[in-house]
Amino acid sequence: MKKIIFKWVTALLAVFLLVSCSSDNASSDSADKPTADFSFTNDGSTFTFTNLSTNGSKYRWDFGDLYYTSDKKDPVYTYAIGGEITVSLTVTNEAGEEAYIAKTITAPKIIIIDIKVDGKFKDWDDVAITDQNTSGNGSIQKIKIWAKGANVNVYLEGNKKMQMELVDMFINTDGNTKTGFLHGSWPGGSGAEFLFEGPMVTNGWGAFYNHIDPNGGWGWAAIAGSGANLTSSGIVSLSDTTNAIEFSIPKSQLGTLGSSIGIAITEMTSGWAAVANFPEADKFSTLQL
């Protein structure tokens, strides 16, 4: 009888210990299971992903653009596409268990601008206006500058008085408005390192000049053969009231560019009579580079 009781007690104890161990293991497994989560911030098309997951030892990011994945814990990624994109994170623990999460981000629209000087102007649609006159006086009314790539590209729009038969175009290339030619018509900020003088046409007789007066006065040295480096569409009539022109200058013609490029134009007739200055503000039209 004692043997039977002892066997039952032993069996119950074994069952109890087995259940207890199973319970402990289940609790341990549950505590070690991975969870997946992340947050993100962006600066334009560049996104910084912060991993908020727990119990993970390996990570796999899918950035949703069919190009790249990453196994970094906190990756930084720059998108070449825009719009709504699904980003996913898979977290794996030491036991091989996985957790998964996906979130939707919105990347800025990618605008590809490729300026061709052909007098059609459609490629300027996505370029922001750099500067414009507000009074309606003068000839040139609006300027756009695009300086990505090998050239400085410029679009001008004006009324019918804008013919660009002759111009003095002053160019600040180093971003410093206190050096170079200090023009009295733009006392708020000028500092031109270069001057283009002549008709705004391709292969005209115009030329570029380097500023040479250390005191900021009117002192220029012609750059031989430089006029051939200006490519222009010539004046194009957009309507009964509006003309436009586009032109490009190789950056190599302008030397090393600084933090910005500034442009101001004195337009004249073919007989050197003044037409108007642009801009009408007291400083050059400036694009930050």
Side-chain angles (χ1 to χ4, degrees), residues 6 18 50 61 68 82 86 89 104-105 141 193 204 215 285:
F6 176 76
L18 181 61
T50 301
W61 296 84
Y68 292 103
T86 299
L89 169 63
T104 300
I105 67 169
Q141 299 298 310
E193 280 71 45
N215 298 314
S285 300

Side-chain angles (χ1 to χ4, degrees), residues 129-133 140-145 154 156 170-172 186 189-190 260-265 278-288:
I129 296 171
T130 306
D131 200 1
Q132 60 185 334
N133 285 348
I140 303 168
Q141 299 298 310
K142 180 190 301 183
I143 184 171
K144 294 182 177 183
I145 305 173
V154 180
L156 300 174
F170 304 93
I171 309 172
N172 179 329
W186 293 280
S190 53
S260 64
I261 184 165
I263 293 176
I265 297 172
F278 180 88
E280 63 186 7
D282 68 348
K283 59 184 178 181
F284 285 9
S285 300
T286 300
L287 175 72
Q288 298 298 320

Side-chain angles (χ1 to χ4, degrees), residues 136-141 157-163 241-243:
N137 298 325
S139 56
I140 303 168
Q141 299 298 310
E157 189 175 297
N159 53 38
K160 288 301 184 178
K161 288 188 291 184
M162 189 186 83
Q163 296 295 322
T241 59
T242 305
N243 285 343

